[in-house]
Structure formats: C-alpha cells, structure tokens
C-alpha cells in the first residue's frame, strides 16, 4: 500500500471587532469647597467579543474640572481588534458663594442739601469654591436724608447667588 502524508497549515484570524456600550452619562456637583470633582463612579461599559480575553481602558484623569469631559472607553481583544464609546461627564457647581456686606454706616448730608453724593460703601467679602462672575448692589450715587438699605448681590459662574443688606443712615 502506498501512503502519502502532507501537512496543511491553516491560519485563523479574528476579524470580528468587539462591541462596547458605555454606561449612562454622569452629571455630578463639584466636591464641597472645591471647583473639581473626584472619586466618581463611571461604571464599567458592557462589552462582548467572539474570543475570550482582552482589556477595557479609558482616558479618564481625575480630578474632573468644572464643565464637560468626554471619557473615551476602549475595549481591545487579544487579537488586536478594538472598539470605543464615549461617556460624557458633566461637573457643575451647586455651592452658593458666601457674601458678607460691608458694615452699616452713617454719613451727613452735603452742606445746605438734604442728600449726599459722598458715601463710600466699602467692599463686601466674598468666598466661593469656583469663581465669581457678578458683584453688584442697588445703590444710587445720591443718598437722601434718612435710612437706605443697600442690597448687595453676588453670582458665581455656576449661577448660584447670595445677597446681603447694608444700612446707610444719612443725617
């Protein structure tokens, strides 16, 4: 009997890309007293592939700054195929600024008048975890004789605001 043997090499390649589905987008406030957020739980994306093994990674770097960050998640299988998805992380400021009005004050009318144009209100003390965008008060340049309440307002970039009152007495 004649017998011939041969060897045939078959090379299989994985041309199927893994699938990845990101977790829901996240909206989170800044850490208390800070303008960034830390220790966020992004979750783990859902992945699937025809071959076992591989890795999941993202480009996330803490702390997360105020605003929007795109976190890119990538799954790579053991054969070098990869897929990505994007998870949006939105960090917002919900911490109101602290506003302390200048001290109440007493001044006198201008000579021969029932008002004064020479009142220096001073400046309020403001503390905020991020940054202030608007500082204002409702005073006019002229103060009539009597008592006037000046309302000071401050608003931060997150839209959080605070007010306080300063009493101005003109004698």
């Amino acid at each position: 009997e004649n017998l011939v043997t041969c060897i045939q090499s078959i090379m299989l390649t994985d041309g199927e890309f893994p699938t990845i589905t990101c977790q829901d987008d996240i909206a989170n406030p800044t850490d208390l007293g800070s303008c960034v957020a830390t220790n966020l739980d992004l979750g783990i994306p859902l992945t699937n592939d025809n071959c076992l093994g591989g890795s999941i990674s993202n480009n996330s770097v803490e702390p997360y700054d105020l605003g929007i960050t795109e976190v890119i998640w990538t799954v790579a299988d053991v054969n070098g195929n990869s897929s990505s998805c994007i998870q949006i992380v939105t960090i917002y400021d919900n911490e109101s600024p602290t506003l302390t009005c200048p001290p109440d004050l007493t001044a006198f009318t201008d000579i021969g008048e029932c008002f004064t144009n020479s009142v220096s209100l001073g400046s309020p003390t403001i503390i905020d975890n991020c940054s202030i965008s608007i500082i204002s008060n409702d005073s006019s340049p002229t103060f009539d004789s009597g008592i006037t309440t000046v309302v000071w307002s401050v608003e931060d970039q997150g839209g959080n605001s605070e007010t306080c009152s300063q009493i101005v007495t003109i004698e």
Side-chain angles (χ1 to χ4, degrees):
E1 160 179 342
N2 293 333
L3 184 63
V4 176
T5 304
C6 71
I7 297 175
Q8 180 180 14
S9 295
I10 300 174
M11 188 161 127
L12 297 175
T13 59
D14 178 11
E16 189 172 328
F17 288 87
T19 61
I20 184 168
T21 303
C22 281
Q23 294 291 326
D24 291 338
D25 294 342
I26 294 175
N28 205 73
T30 57
D31 294 346
L32 186 62
S34 177
C35 200
V36 297
T38 57
N39 299 317
L40 298 184
D41 182 6
L42 302 178
I44 302 291
L46 303 174
T47 62
N48 192 21
D49 193 35
N50 61 321
C51 295
L52 297 176
S55 64
I56 300 172
S57 62
N58 68 49
N59 68 339
S60 173
V61 178
E62 283 199 8
Y64 292 93
D65 292 328
L66 191 66
I68 295 173
T69 300
E70 288 186 352
V71 176
I72 301 171
W73 287 89
T74 302
V75 60
D77 67 17
V78 293
N79 296 305
N81 300 310
S82 65
S83 297
S84 298
C85 66
I86 295 176
Q87 182 180 29
I88 303 295
V89 176
T90 303
I91 304 302
Y92 59 91
D93 176 16
N94 69 347
E95 193 172 331
S96 292
T98 301
L99 174 64
T100 304
C101 275
D104 296 344
L105 58 92
T106 300
F108 298 98
T109 60
D110 293 345
I111 296 174
E113 302 293 340
C114 284
F115 63 87
T116 185
N117 289 322
S118 57
V119 173
S120 177
L121 296 174
S123 297
T125 302
I126 303 164
I127 300 171
D128 191 51
N129 63 315
C130 283
S131 59
I132 301 299
S133 60
I134 300 170
I135 302 168
S136 63
N137 67 52
D138 65 353
S139 73
S140 66
T142 301
F143 287 86
D144 292 329
S145 179
I147 296 174
T148 302
T149 301
V150 176
V151 177
W152 289 84
S153 300
V154 63
E155 185 176 313
D156 66 17
Q157 288 185 340
N160 305 299
S161 62
E162 190 66 41
T163 62
C164 66
S165 298
Q166 177 186 25
I167 304 298
V168 178
T169 304
I170 306 300
E171 298 177 347

